[in-house]
Amino acid sequence: MRKSIFSYVVFILVIFLVSSVYMISGNVFGQSENNNIEDNKPNILVIMGDDFGFSDLGVFGSEISTPILDQLAKEGKILTNYYTHPVCSPARSTFLTGVDNHIAGIGTMFENIAPNQVNKTGYETFITDRVVTVAELLRDAGYDTLMSGKWHLSGKGYHEGTGPADRGFDQSFTLLESGANHFTYGPYYPGGVTTFIDNGKIVEKPNSTQFSNEFYTYKMIDFIKKSQENNKPFFGYLAYQVAHTPFQAPQEYIQKYHGVYNAGWDKIREQRFEKQKELGIWPTNMTLPKSYPTFPDWNTLSEDEQKQRSQIFAAHAGMIEDMDYNVGKLIQFLKDTNEYENTLIMFTSDNGGSEPSDSPVVIAALEGANDEELEKFKAAGFSEAFDAIGGKDSYWGYGWQGAVMSNTPHSGVKSTMFNGGLKSPFVIKEPHATNTPELDIVKEFVHVSDMSPTFLEYANTNHPGSEYNGKQISPMMGKSIKPLLEDKGEKIHLDDEIISAEMFGNRAVFMGDWKARYNIFPLGDGQWKLFNLKKDIREAIDLSKEYPDILEKMVSAYYEYAQNVGIIEPKYSEQQKQGVINMLAATNQTEFTGLPMERLLAGYPAEP
């Protein structure tokens, strides 16, 4: 009897010792106490920039210092053929659902909706229950879901049931509108408003001395700290206001770039393109395409205008470097808490380089602000002084010229169907990735609708299909790019697959190397054009007459798409037309010099 008891005790001790050694060794060899219990699912951290041009990161050719994101790229990959939508809220709706923006309810932005689209299905201008967000699905799959920053999916003001807390986020502090002053969190154009919502409750704007980058970063860090107590994986969506107008930054960052842009936009564009070739983004024998739209030579500007524009570019660069620095704080926090290795981290932007305007007064005209609102905005501290550039009272943007420079080497800007509006920088690090000796570049076509399917696959969970919580929803339209990231497949979208898009009456269709584009005046002539992007990234050589069958196939697919998603062609008001005229006049661009804009805009957008 004693022998059997002794044997039993020895057996228990052995089991205890083996278990202890196993647990200790788990910690020694990289398994932290904070590891997720949900089958070791990875954390997912999305860092969303705002209005970043294709070349606005160091790892995409920029002179702007972004060492944190550059290092992230060295541990992961960059995607150089990632396509998004050309403006904020439509792009974000597709990003977070994997479904076309019209189906999601944001067929256009509430700021620019045409009278004939108001109150129409697909043009609610806020996210609807026809779609389910990736945050809702990840929350159901055992994730803590966290958001800090710009939301822009609730329409004008706040529509009940459309905020982050309503659409899957456990913890959130967000700006509902398109942007805000980065220092004061007030409106950034006359007639504008800012609404902040904290875990589903509308609150006063932040009473903070922190610049927006720092404020949103620390919010996310606080959310992750709380999440770690739950011992669950997290999905974090950190959506910065940067690099959206107004171009503001802490002075130490602006001063760092003082004089850097004195060479002018053409020279900076050349330098960025050469660096892109060195990085392997483009062939070494490739020639920089001529910019479109084209502008006066930098040297024809007065000395004062050169000085002013150079400083505005410096403020733009400063806000981006400051964002990168704050991303570094978050990454260091993840490392300090042993979460970094098991976290999928990605950075991209909602769309390409910023709106083609210099001044908030021009934006106000486009948004329909009245004279009283203009005067109120100016009285609140608005300053156009050189010494104020980049500060809290300065609201400058960089116009078409700066946007084209940001989008090097692509044509066009935000809001257009040129690639400059559609292509954003994209950096992604997979869980447990390591440094690579050379930059790993993925050049295959990837679409914004592919993001939610990708996150779901990494989380080992599925989309419910056509029904969620008893409601009919749209199935996802994108595809997971996980096989592409793991080098298990050459392409996600085959060469004969057609993907279509529409915004503000402008249209784009993609099929392999082909792109069909239709831009209404003043961005185009209202005619379909066909381009081979592999040979013509400027989108300058129209091949529609040489390949009519290809164009016909793509255009036919577009009209089928338009019917399926419920596109309503916009018919803009006279006030909206005048806003376009004012914006064009303010850019001083040469493309439209001498055109009778009032006559051409009379039927804007006129059908061909």
Side-chain angles (χ1 to χ4, degrees):
M1 182 70 177
R2 286 183 179 179
K3 185 176 181 180
S4 62
I5 293 174
F6 177 79
S7 299
Y8 178 77
V9 170
V10 170
F11 174 76
I12 294 298
L13 286 173
V14 168
I15 293 296
F16 175 79
L17 289 171
V18 169
S19 299
S20 299
V21 169
Y22 177 80
M23 288 187 289
I24 293 170
S25 64
N27 275 331
V28 168
F29 294 107
Q31 301 299 318
S32 75
E33 293 179 0
N34 290 326
N35 263 3
N36 305 315
I37 60 174
E38 299 285 338
D39 298 324
N40 204 32
K41 291 180 178 180
N43 304 311
I44 300 171
L45 174 62
V46 174
I47 304 169
M48 179 68 74
D50 199 339
D51 290 4
F52 274 70
F54 182 80
S55 68
D56 276 342
L57 299 183
V59 74
F60 276 80
S62 184
E63 70 293 335
I64 301 171
S65 177
T66 55
I68 302 301
L69 290 175
D70 294 353
Q71 177 59 34
L72 202 67
K74 291 176 183 177
E75 296 178 26
K77 294 175 170 64
I78 67 169
L79 277 60
T80 58
N81 209 18
Y82 169 74
Y83 282 84
T84 180
H85 295 321
V87 282
C88 304
S89 47
R92 293 164 191 262
S93 68
T94 297
F95 185 96
L96 289 172
T97 65
V99 177
D100 184 81
N101 56 292
H102 300 81
I103 296 175
I106 308 181
T108 190
M109 299 168 66
F110 77 83
E111 297 92 337
N112 304 109
I113 192 168
N116 67 311
Q117 296 170 331
V118 176
N119 296 325
K120 299 293 174 53
T121 300
Y123 293 84
E124 292 88 348
T125 71
F126 53 80
I127 191 167
T128 68
D129 58 9
R130 293 190 296 273
V131 292
V132 60
T133 70
V134 69
E136 290 173 292
L137 297 178
L138 290 177
R139 180 189 60 190
D140 295 347
Y143 275 72
D144 274 347
T145 51
L146 324 168
M147 186 193 170
S148 171
K150 173 177 166 178
W151 178 240
H152 205 201
L153 297 177
S154 292
K156 188 173 184 178
Y158 172 62
H159 291 265
E160 189 172 347
T162 66
D166 307 306
R167 301 314 306 260
F169 286 98
D170 297 313
Q171 298 183 69
S172 59
F173 187 97
T174 59
L175 167 68
L176 294 187
E177 285 80 18
S178 62
N181 185 303
H182 296 279
F183 288 102
T184 70
Y185 303 95
Y188 71 101
Y189 63 87
V193 297
T194 56
T195 308
F196 291 87
I197 190 164
D198 184 0
N199 288 325
K201 181 181 178 181
I202 294 177
V203 295
E204 294 293 323
K205 68 178 183 178
N207 181 19
S208 173
T209 58
Q210 293 175 312
F211 189 69
S212 67
N213 289 329
E214 185 177 30
F215 180 83
Y216 293 131
T217 300
Y218 279 120
K219 279 289 183 185
M220 179 55 68
I221 290 174
D222 287 343
F223 290 159
I224 296 174
K225 284 180 180 177
K226 293 177 183 177
S227 174
Q228 288 173 339
E229 298 172 3
N230 299 329
N231 202 25
K232 294 164 64 177
F234 70 81
F235 170 69
Y237 178 46
L238 174 55
Y240 288 111
Q241 290 175 217
V242 165
H244 197 290
T245 53
F247 293 164
Q248 300 170 327
Q251 277 299 316
E252 62 267 28
Y253 286 105
I254 299 175
Q255 289 304 313
K256 180 175 179 178
Y257 293 94
H258 182 72
V260 169
Y261 297 94
N262 289 350
W265 46 67
D266 287 329
K267 190 65 177 177
I268 297 297
R269 191 168 176 269
E270 291 171 8
Q271 292 171 354
R272 290 189 177 193
F273 183 68
E274 288 304 311
K275 185 177 177 183
Q276 288 173 349
K277 290 197 294 184
E278 291 174 9
L279 290 166
I281 295 174
W282 308 113
T284 55
N285 62 350
M286 183 175 170
T287 302
L288 174 63
K290 185 179 178 182
S291 65
Y292 180 82
T294 55
F295 297 94
D297 188 291
W298 177 263
N299 294 321
T300 65
L301 303 182
S302 69
E303 185 177 341
D304 285 344
E305 185 173 358
Q306 287 185 1
K307 181 180 176 183
Q308 181 189 48
R309 289 188 179 275
S310 176
Q311 193 70 353
I312 292 170
F313 296 157
H316 177 256
M319 71 195 305
I320 290 175
E321 182 174 344
D322 178 75
M323 187 208 75
D324 184 80
Y325 173 71
N326 278 280
V327 170
K329 294 179 183 177
L330 176 55
I331 287 179
Q332 189 59 52
F333 168 76
L334 294 177
K335 290 180 177 179
D336 291 343
T337 56
N338 299 310
E339 297 281 11
Y340 180 77
E341 292 299 324
N342 195 38
T343 302
L344 172 75
I345 304 176
M346 64 152 292
F347 171 86
T348 191
S349 176
D350 52 357
N351 46 255
S354 196
E355 56 264 7
S357 62
D358 299 308
S359 168
V361 176
V362 175
I363 298 175
L366 193 62
E367 306 289 354
N370 57 42
D371 291 341
E372 181 181 348
E373 289 168 329
L374 284 169
E375 292 306 315
K376 182 179 178 181
F377 185 80
K378 292 177 180 179
F382 171 59
S383 174
E384 294 182 322
F386 176 83
D387 291 341
I389 290 175
K392 68 180 181 64
D393 295 326
S394 175
Y395 292 82
W396 287 109
Y398 55 14
W400 280 85
Q401 303 94 326
V404 170
M405 182 179 76
S406 280
N407 295 331
T408 300
H410 302 295
S411 295
V413 297
K414 173 184 175 180
S415 81
T416 78
M417 285 298 178
F418 289 97
N419 276 0
L422 299 173
K423 297 193 73 172
S424 300
F426 193 111
V427 176
I428 188 163
K429 178 201 81 75
E430 295 176 90
H432 308 289
T434 56
N435 269 343
T436 54
E438 295 183 0
L439 188 62
D440 196 343
I441 304 176
V442 176
K443 298 185 178 183
E444 284 72 28
F445 182 96
V446 174
H447 190 253
V448 60
S449 63
D450 299 330
M451 295 303 101
S452 284
T454 302
F455 302 146
L456 292 180
E457 183 171 4
Y458 272 100
N460 194 27
T461 192
N462 297 314
H463 191 275
S466 59
E467 185 177 327
Y468 180 72
N469 286 346
K471 294 181 179 180
Q472 292 297 305
I473 60 167
S474 172
M476 288 193 300
M477 303 168 78
K479 302 178 181 180
S480 171
I481 66 169
K482 188 170 184 278
L484 198 64
L485 298 175
E486 295 179 344
D487 300 318
K488 294 179 180 178
E490 292 185 0
K491 293 184 178 182
I492 296 299
H493 299 282
L494 302 179
D495 288 343
D496 60 351
E497 184 176 346
I498 297 177
I499 294 178
S500 300
E502 182 273 344
M503 184 54 52
F504 307 143
N506 303 311
R507 312 163 188 171
V509 186
F510 299 92
M511 184 179 72
D513 293 333
W514 296 101
K515 176 181 179 180
R517 193 192 68 222
Y518 177 108
N519 277 331
I520 60 176
F521 183 85
L523 304 171
D525 58 7
Q527 300 292 323
W528 282 102
K529 294 177 171 58
L530 181 68
F531 307 97
N532 187 308
L533 296 177
K534 191 171 184 178
K535 301 176 181 178
D536 175 29
I537 63 170
R538 186 174 184 257
E539 305 173 62
I541 304 172
D542 180 12
L543 300 174
S544 56
K545 292 182 179 179
E546 287 83 349
Y547 299 94
D549 292 344
I550 292 177
L551 180 62
E552 182 181 358
K553 179 180 180 180
M554 296 175 73
V555 171
S556 176
Y558 171 80
Y559 286 115
E560 182 179 350
Y561 153 81
Q563 184 175 10
N564 290 339
V565 303
I567 290 173
I568 299 172
E569 294 300 323
K571 297 185 184 302
Y572 291 110
S573 68
E574 292 302 317
Q575 184 181 40
Q576 288 170 316
K577 296 174 190 176
Q578 188 60 48
V580 174
I581 293 173
N582 294 343
M583 181 172 286
L584 289 176
T587 63
N588 296 318
Q589 60 174 300
T590 58
E591 286 290 315
F592 304 105
T593 299
L595 288 177
M597 286 186 284
E598 288 82 357
R599 179 175 63 79
L600 289 169
L601 281 169
Y604 175 66
E607 293 292 332

